[in-house]
Amino acid sequence: MPFSNNILAMVKSLVTIPVAVKLSPFFSSLANMARRLDEAGADGLVLFNRFYQPDIDLDSLVVRPNVILSTPQALRLPLRWIAILYGRVRADLAATSGIHTAQDVIKMLMAGANVTMLCSVLQRHGVNHIRLIEQGLRRWMEEREYESVGQMRGSMSQIHCANPGEFERAQYVRALHSFKPAPA
């Protein structure tokens, strides 16, 4: 059993609460790691841990912490992997990074997330911003006659998508060809 699975098994043997593992996107085989953690008993997988990295202050020549809040563009990486893992692991999937709007929450839920996590948007706008996101989620669901979040969860995952290849690397060239630069 790999080192990380041993640690997970040890933690699971010592506690009675659910154990979630926050993953980094930098594994050489993320799907394999997720599967192994799932098999080792992880109750949840959090996609993804954002590492805060230092910066160099060129005036004082010292290393300084540099917190850069996420942007909505950061949503794409966890969205893709949650959509791929949904239905392939038993563990709950938690989405983090780039979730700023009700639409972002909806996308993550439809990809297969059991929960979405907010941080940067709350640091920017305050904790009461959650109300706006919740109102937007409720409005969107009512307009489309969704009765529950569970009804929409995973509906746009890879296993439910009309073209599952859309979530795979092979689509990279197609995505580049579809890019249209802004007029000068």
Side-chain angles (χ1 to χ4, degrees), residues 18 37 44 65 85 87 113 126 130 132 147 184:
L37 290 167
L85 293 174
I130 292 174
L132 291 174
E147 295 179 18

Side-chain angles (χ1 to χ4, degrees), residues 28-135:
S28 59
S29 178
L30 180 65
N32 181 49
M33 177 56 83
R35 180 187 56 79
R36 293 172 101 170
L37 290 167
D38 184 54
E39 289 172 354
D43 297 292
L45 301 175
V46 182
L47 289 82
F48 288 107
N49 192 22
R50 271 184 83 222
F51 296 104
Y52 291 104
Q53 300 173 4
D55 196 5
I56 297 173
D57 183 320
L58 294 175
D59 293 325
S60 62
L61 298 179
V62 296
V63 176
R64 298 207 187 271
N66 186 13
V67 175
I68 299 174
L69 299 177
S70 76
T71 65
Q73 291 77 15
L75 176 96
R76 301 282 178 88
L77 184 63
L79 178 81
R80 175 178 180 253
W81 279 105
I82 286 171
I84 290 170
L85 293 174
Y86 177 81
R88 292 184 170 94
V89 295
R90 291 180 308 271
D92 288 344
L93 299 170
T96 183
S97 284
I99 302 164
H100 291 252
T101 66
Q103 291 78 12
D104 297 338
V105 170
I106 293 162
K107 288 176 183 182
M108 288 297 199
L109 293 170
M110 293 184 97
N114 296 81
V115 64
T116 60
M117 303 170 130
L118 309 172
C119 182
S120 294
V121 70
L122 300 181
Q123 288 181 322
R124 281 189 181 104
H125 302 290
V127 73
N128 288 330
H129 192 73
I130 292 174
R131 287 191 180 106
L132 291 174
I133 292 172
E134 181 185 8
Q135 289 168 358

Side-chain angles (χ1 to χ4, degrees), residues 148-159:
S148 70
V149 168
Q151 183 183 3
M152 60 198 270
R153 184 176 298 120
S155 62
M156 293 297 297
S157 66
Q158 188 181 35
I159 61 174

